[in-house]
Amino acid sequence: MVDSMGQGTNDNSAAVRHIYVHIPFCARICPYCAFYKERADPAQAKRFCEALVAELGAIALRPKTIFFGGGTPTALTTDQLAFLLDGFQAQLDLSELEEWTFEANPGSVSGRKAQLLRANGVNRISLGVQSFDDGLLQLLGREHSAAQAEASFALLRGAGFGNLNVDLMFGLPGQTLAQWEATLQRALALKPDHISAYCLTYEEDTEFFLRHARGEFRTDAEADADFFVRTDELLGNAGFEHYEVSNYARPGFESVHNRAYWSGSDYLGLGPSAVSTVGLRRWQNVSDYRVYAERLLGGESASTGNEILTPGMKRSESIALSLRTNWGIPAEWVDDRPNEVEEFVRLGLMLPQAERYVLTREGRFLADSVAAAFI
Ligand SMILES: C[S@@+](CC[C@H](N)C(=O)[O-])C[C@H]1O[C@@H](n2cnc3c(N)ncnc32)[C@H](O)[C@@H]1O
Ligand code: SF4
């Protein structure tokens, strides 16, 4: 259901503790990526930053977490980042902030940017490495080499970041298990605090999707399962906890922001294409940064309208998100589906655990299909 209010915030929004900020710029567009992003244009980006600070001005929050994603937040210039950070410092009460993450690309991290972020309270960086194999990085259209990714990681540590994530992808066209193991080993050698390991998905409206449709690239579910199991083994042996299907953390380094999201907490999304959910109300900002800037700087909302979630939709989302995590779902959420529960337990995909159900390693690889049976 979509109503016509198109409002970005309301009274309940003031109690929201988690903020997502979408920065829609990238130095280069990767052929597999379906997130809303455009080639960075310094002149337009300045106006966009002004609009973002204007959107922030409409809310008064005391966030626990802030997550700058994209796109590539570090594709902004140092001056633009300084302008945004000043805006956030001035307009939000950051006294209870626990985690402030910035996504970064090895091609656009610099010592000055790293120091600026650190000095302004950003305490977690998620570095998009994808692979430590130069051939695969080329196939992925990345703007950096494996060595540059290592150098960026060292630079971020040197700047004082004690909480660093590395994003990696497996199931890439032509990738062998040995190549993936080598990437995981090189990632571990950097001693990151968190690793996100995503299975490549062929997203609609991307070049990779077309190449897949033409038969140039093939999906191989069995190979993907092998990559997944090997990741779980290697990272588990290195002391990482597999706390969500695609996420591994050293003890104490699980992402507070993502945990809140997976647990169904309310969140506000700022920036073009960003989604907000407060109670049963959900809205999305317009997915065009020029229109976004025009609206905000003209005193209008960037929202495309409200959707009112039904309790049933909320329940389905909670099952789908929580099942992906190592805390699973309360047993009572599925007590109306005893046959499915029994079948998944019998197949070794799900385990009862203290009034909850959690997925086994095999179950996690099939998390979305298991969730689909309950919703
Ligand atoms: C929103 S991107 C931002 C990261 C940053 N722009 C970069 O690429 O360096 C977050 C992560 O999503 C993952 N990702 C993007 N497209 C994907 C796809 N089609 N399949 C699987 N993972 C994907 C990548 O690992 C990427 O680092
Ligand atoms: S993967 Fe990252 S750098 Fe590449 S296009 Fe997507 S957001 Fe931009």
Side-chain angles (χ1 to χ4, degrees):
M1 276 190 287
V2 175
D3 72 22
S4 57
M5 281 172 57
Q7 305 252 304
T9 54
N10 73 355
D11 290 346
N12 300 343
S13 301
V16 175
R17 311 301 302 277
H18 308 283
I19 304 179
Y20 172 77
V21 183
H22 193 82
I23 306 293
F25 303 112
C26 296
R28 210 203 265 189
I29 303 300
C30 307
Y32 54 86
C33 175
F35 292 98
Y36 169 58
K37 76 278 163 194
E38 299 197 32
R39 283 287 290 274
D41 171 344
Q44 292 287 339
K46 182 169 177 286
R47 193 171 148 76
F48 161 78
C49 290
E50 287 162 8
L52 188 52
V53 172
E55 189 178 22
L56 191 64
I59 59 175
L61 291 188
R62 192 161 13 94
K64 264 176 79 169
T65 70
I66 305 175
F67 192 106
F68 269 63
T72 307
T74 53
L76 293 171
T77 64
T78 311
D79 286 349
Q80 289 159 356
L81 286 171
F83 176 81
L84 281 187
L85 292 164
D86 279 352
F88 273 69
Q89 293 282 354
Q91 308 216 32
L92 294 176
D93 174 353
L94 299 179
S95 59
E96 291 181 16
L97 189 68
E98 289 175 25
E99 183 184 276
W100 189 348
T101 302
F102 257 67
E103 283 188 335
N105 183 306
S108 56
V109 171
S110 70
R112 273 185 72 206
K113 286 182 193 173
Q115 274 155 20
L116 178 76
L117 295 175
R118 192 68 205 95
N120 277 279
V122 175
N123 56 10
R124 182 172 186 269
I125 301 283
S126 174
L127 189 65
V129 172
Q130 322 310 349
S131 173
F132 282 104
D133 183 295
D134 282 328
L136 288 173
L137 285 174
Q138 225 168 8
L139 175 77
L140 293 172
R142 301 293 294 179
E143 55 167 330
H144 57 86
S145 63
Q148 265 175 302
E150 285 169 337
S152 296
F153 188 95
L155 183 150
L156 290 165
R157 270 282 191 251
F161 285 100
N163 189 349
L164 290 177
N165 170 57
V166 167
D167 275 350
L168 300 173
M169 290 198 295
F170 62 85
L172 305 176
Q175 185 182 33
T176 63
L177 194 55
Q179 275 174 318
W180 174 236
E181 286 172 357
T183 275
L184 287 173
Q185 297 292 8
R186 266 176 90 170
L188 286 173
L190 295 173
K191 301 200 183 310
D193 309 289
H194 190 285
I195 294 180
S196 298
Y198 300 110
C199 182
L200 174 70
T201 45
Y202 291 95
E203 302 280 358
E204 254 181 89
D205 296 327
T206 64
E207 191 187 316
F208 266 32
F209 184 82
L210 288 178
R211 295 182 73 175
H212 185 258
R214 286 201 296 259
E216 275 178 60
F217 297 156
R218 288 183 198 288
T219 352
D220 182 341
E222 258 179 56
D224 289 348
D226 290 343
F227 284 121
F228 184 82
V229 169
R230 198 68 193 112
T231 311
D232 184 79
E233 286 169 356
L234 266 176
L235 300 188
N237 291 341
F240 282 74
E241 193 182 351
H242 191 176
Y243 75 106
E244 195 269 349
V245 170
S246 306
N247 287 282
Y248 300 78
R250 290 203 293 116
F253 286 90
E254 295 89 358
S255 162
V256 183
H257 183 87
N258 288 340
R259 271 190 83 119
Y261 173 72
W262 295 320
S263 303
S265 299
D266 290 343
Y267 56 91
L268 279 186
L270 307 182
S273 82
V275 173
S276 302
T277 304
V278 180
L280 292 177
R281 198 163 69 85
R282 173 166 299 161
W283 66 96
Q284 180 172 20
N285 280 349
V286 59
S287 296
D288 178 324
Y289 79 85
R290 293 172 195 82
V291 177
Y292 168 85
E294 214 172 278
R295 287 217 203 158
L296 261 311
L297 296 174
E300 289 174 50
S301 159
S303 166
T304 55
N306 282 323
E307 178 188 8
I308 306 301
L309 305 173
T310 63
M313 287 158 82
K314 212 45 187 178
R315 174 183 172 275
S316 299
E317 281 188 7
S318 300
I319 291 177
L321 289 172
S322 298
L323 255 187
R324 295 175 59 91
T325 66
N326 65 352
W327 58 92
I329 53 173
E332 66 194 33
W333 286 6
V334 288
D335 60 10
D336 57 338
R337 301 291 181 87
N339 295 341
E340 284 88 343
V341 168
E342 198 184 309
E343 183 68 356
F344 288 135
V345 171
R346 191 184 64 76
L347 290 169
L349 299 177
M350 208 161 87
L351 277 178
Q353 213 173 74
E355 307 290 310
R356 302 182 77 84
Y357 286 108
V358 292
L359 295 183
T360 59
R361 181 199 276 166
E362 291 70 24
R364 277 201 197 162
F365 182 66
L366 301 170
D368 294 344
S369 310
V370 176
F374 291 122
I375 59 189

